[in-house]
Amino acid sequence: MILQRALISETVTNDHTLYTIRYSEPLSLVEVNWNGLITSKGLQATITHLLKVIEEKQPRFLLADTRLLNGLGVEDQTWIKNSFLPELSNSSIVKFGRITEPDVFSEAIIDSFLSYVQCEAIFGCIMKSFPDREAALDWFYC
C-alpha cells in the first residue's frame, strides 16, 4: 500500500526513549508510539506533548499505537477521559485510530471505553480500533 510507505515529514519527539511522535504534513497525520511499558506519569507527559503537537500542526488524523499501554489502570483511563478527550474534541482531529492488541480482554476494555466516548457527541471526532497501521490508514483515507 502506498500510504503505508508514505514518508513522515518530521519526527517531533524530544525523548526518543519513552515515545515517538511523528507528523506527516501531506497526510495531515500525527502518529504516537510508545517505546516500552509506560507509567501514569509517562502517559501524561506523552499525551501533553501530543496535544501541543496537534495544536501546532493542526492535523486531521491521529494514530496511536496503544499496544504497550495494557498495564495502565482505572486512574489512567479516568485521566484520559477527563483531560485528553476534551482537549482532543477542541482540536483539528476528525478521526482517531488506535492500534490495539487483538486479545479478547483488551478489546472488551477498549470497546467499553470507546462506546462511552462515541455516545458523547461532544468529543467531535470518530474513534476506531485496528489490529495494525495499514488497516487504520485505509480507514483514514478511503
Side-chain angles (χ1 to χ4, degrees):
M1 166 185 224
I2 293 172
L3 286 175
Q4 190 173 21
R5 292 187 293 266
L7 294 177
I8 297 298
S9 300
E10 62 182 293
T11 298
V12 293
T13 308
N14 293 329
D15 181 358
H16 294 286
T17 60
L18 184 60
Y19 62 93
T20 304
I21 297 174
R22 297 180 300 174
Y23 170 67
S24 172
E25 185 174 358
L27 297 177
S28 192
L29 172 69
V30 168
E31 292 185 64
V32 60
N33 295 291
W34 283 270
N35 301 323
L37 294 179
I38 191 156
T39 64
S40 295
K41 184 178 176 180
L43 173 71
Q44 291 179 17
T46 305
I47 297 298
T48 299
H49 185 194
L50 177 63
L51 288 169
K52 288 178 185 176
V53 171
I54 290 170
E55 183 179 340
E56 177 186 326
K57 304 295 184 182
Q58 297 291 305
R60 297 186 66 221
F61 308 111
L62 170 60
L63 180 59
D65 187 337
T66 62
R67 292 176 286 189
L68 296 176
L69 302 182
N70 289 340
L72 297 177
V74 174
E75 297 85 17
D76 301 309
Q77 292 174 9
T78 300
W79 184 85
I80 289 170
K81 183 178 76 175
N82 294 334
S83 299
F84 173 61
L85 293 177
E87 291 291 325
L88 191 62
S89 72
N90 294 319
S91 75
S92 59
I93 300 296
V94 295
K95 287 186 176 180
F96 174 19
R98 298 166 35 112
I99 301 171
T100 60
E101 287 291 341
D103 67 76
V104 174
F105 181 70
S106 294
E107 284 300 315
I109 291 171
I110 290 165
D111 287 345
S112 170
F113 186 66
L114 289 179
S115 292
Y116 166 78
V117 171
Q118 290 171 343
C119 291
E120 297 291 326
I122 63 170
F123 289 116
C125 70
I126 302 167
M127 296 184 197
K128 192 169 178 182
S129 296
F130 299 92
D132 56 45
R133 184 175 187 264
E134 182 177 314
L137 291 175
D138 283 344
W139 177 66
F140 286 151
Y141 302 107
C142 294

